Amino acid sequence: MMTIREPERTVGVKNESTVQEFILEAFPATQHLGSLLFLEHLLAYLASIVGNAVIILITWADHRLQTPMYVLLSTFSFCECCFITTVIPKLLSIFLSGRQTIPFPACLTQAFFFLFIGAGIFFLIAVMSLDRYLAICKPLHYASIMNLRVSFLLIFLCYSLSFIFFTGLMLKVFQLSFCGPNIISHFFCDLGSLIHLSCSNTSSVETYFFFVTSFAILLSLIVTITAYSNIVVTILRLPSAKERQKAFSTCSSHLIVLSLMYGSCVFIYVKPKQANRLDSNKEAALVNTVVTPVLNPVIYTLRNKQVHQALRDTLSRMRLQK
């Protein structure tokens, strides 16, 4: 009898066991290029951090830039720094050391902050688009509608909404059981890949995940498209060809970056079945975690003459103090 019961106990223990850590598969085909990829992503990460940090420091060092537009931009830059920091340092450690494991709590934490900050960035983009719409299309009413108090209130609302949505989602994910396998086919703890590994019934979690990600992306996309469409119409009505060309040059740069961001996120997240995208989203995710964070500082403010002047004035003050 003992020889029959003992295996049953072993099987029972095995079925009840939970995953303690996950393995981030990252890019298995390029593992032999670890040092080169480490250097490449490190330079991109540092460029993004430095570029965004310059925007933040200049905005708060120069009182002329303490306006709703630049407060929103500096907040956007800060969020970009936080967003890429949730992913890139771990990816760098994988390239450098080859260690691909991540503990279960750390994996859930990374997944939460990636989605929470990412959704907040999209809501913030929508607010920035509305700010530009008011400034360009309704200049006489802009000062009475937008001020620093309203800007901070809108920023608070963006991240409150994101926090509520994704805290609820993570509570649902936390209740799932993970009993193996533990290999995530991604370079970070992508929540869709994580849900796919659960041995629980995930239909309700997948539905909720699809709803909140689609809401965050599509709502901000609709607001942004509406705002920029009105901006383009207003620009076309400008009497001077030189002014139209200058305005279109700025808008086209913004639209290129926004197209990259929204295009990659729609491709990744706006699909009801997470299993449909598990093997196709790594390259798209790199666009939002590596490419656009480097482009955003250049596109949004470092090409701006007002920022150039503020930067020159700040550097001059620093030289005089020395």
Side-chain angles (χ1 to χ4, degrees):
M1 293 295 290
M2 290 298 293
T3 56
I4 295 175
R5 290 175 182 172
E6 191 63 26
E8 289 177 354
R9 289 197 194 99
T10 305
V11 172
V13 171
K14 185 177 180 180
N15 287 341
E16 293 172 4
S17 65
T18 57
V19 172
Q20 299 299 316
E21 62 181 19
F22 292 97
I23 298 172
L24 299 175
E25 197 174 42
F27 302 98
T30 59
Q31 285 181 352
H32 62 288
L33 300 173
S35 299
L36 180 62
L37 291 171
F38 170 81
L39 181 61
E40 178 185 313
H41 287 78
L42 176 62
L43 292 175
Y45 177 64
L46 292 177
S48 178
I49 292 292
V50 171
N52 284 299
V54 167
I55 293 169
I56 296 166
L57 293 173
I58 291 301
T59 299
W60 296 105
D62 195 310
H63 69 278
R64 292 170 297 180
L65 298 184
Q66 291 171 13
T67 61
M69 172 185 171
Y70 289 102
V71 166
L72 291 172
L73 284 170
S74 64
T75 304
F76 178 79
S77 295
F78 174 75
C79 294
E80 281 276 271
C81 291
C82 296
F83 179 70
I84 61 175
T85 300
T86 63
V87 173
I88 300 300
K90 179 60 181 178
L91 180 60
L92 292 175
S93 72
I94 291 173
F95 287 143
L96 189 63
S97 67
R99 183 173 174 79
Q100 298 173 281
T101 58
I102 182 169
F104 182 77
C107 189
L108 285 183
T109 302
Q110 186 188 56
F112 169 74
F113 279 105
F114 180 84
L115 292 169
F116 162 61
I117 299 171
I121 286 174
F122 277 114
F123 290 139
L124 196 56
I125 288 172
V127 170
M128 290 165 62
S129 301
L130 287 174
D131 174 76
R132 290 301 82 209
Y133 162 75
L134 291 171
I136 296 170
C137 303
K138 308 286 183 182
L140 298 178
H141 301 285
Y142 180 77
S144 62
I145 298 173
M146 285 297 294
N147 53 52
L148 291 179
R149 182 174 174 275
V150 172
S151 300
F152 287 118
L153 178 61
L154 289 171
I155 292 166
F156 174 76
L157 288 175
C158 287
Y159 278 92
S160 295
L161 190 61
S162 180
F163 181 80
I164 291 168
F165 275 166
F166 289 101
T167 299
L169 175 61
M170 294 310 296
L171 288 174
K172 284 179 171 290
V173 173
F174 191 75
Q175 294 172 359
L176 298 176
S177 298
F178 294 89
C179 47
N182 66 336
I183 297 176
I184 297 176
S185 181
H186 216 301
F187 58 88
F188 68 97
C189 284
D190 173 59
L191 196 63
S193 303
L194 194 62
I195 292 171
H196 186 65
L197 295 179
S198 174
C199 48
S200 304
N201 184 351
T202 61
S203 56
S204 64
V205 180
E206 287 197 42
T207 301
Y208 187 79
F209 184 36
F210 171 71
F211 170 76
V212 294
T213 51
S214 298
F215 179 83
I217 295 168
L218 296 179
L219 175 65
S220 62
L221 178 60
I222 291 168
V223 172
T224 302
I225 288 175
T226 304
Y228 271 96
S229 297
N230 283 278
I231 288 170
V232 169
V233 170
T234 302
I235 291 171
L236 289 172
R237 292 173 180 169
L238 292 174
S240 169
K242 187 176 181 181
E243 287 180 351
R244 287 198 299 270
Q245 184 179 2
K246 181 181 177 182
F248 272 123
S249 175
T250 303
C251 281
S252 62
S253 301
H254 291 185
L255 292 173
I256 288 170
V257 175
L258 291 174
S259 297
L260 287 172
M261 292 179 66
Y262 281 109
S264 58
C265 283
V266 168
F267 175 78
I268 293 171
Y269 293 107
V270 187
K271 291 181 180 179
K273 291 292 182 181
Q274 299 305 315
N276 294 341
R277 65 180 183 83
L278 295 181
D279 297 324
S280 59
N281 62 358
K282 283 186 281 190
E283 291 77 10
L286 277 174
V287 173
N288 281 339
T289 54
V290 178
V291 179
T292 56
V294 176
L295 294 177
N296 280 331
V298 178
I299 295 299
Y300 277 102
T301 54
L302 296 186
R303 294 178 59 195
N304 187 301
K305 290 182 180 179
Q306 196 173 359
V307 173
H308 289 175
Q309 185 61 48
L311 183 58
R312 284 193 292 268
D313 292 346
T314 302
L315 292 174
S316 297
R317 287 197 298 269
M318 290 173 66
R319 291 195 201 98
L320 290 173
Q321 288 174 357
K322 289 181 180 180

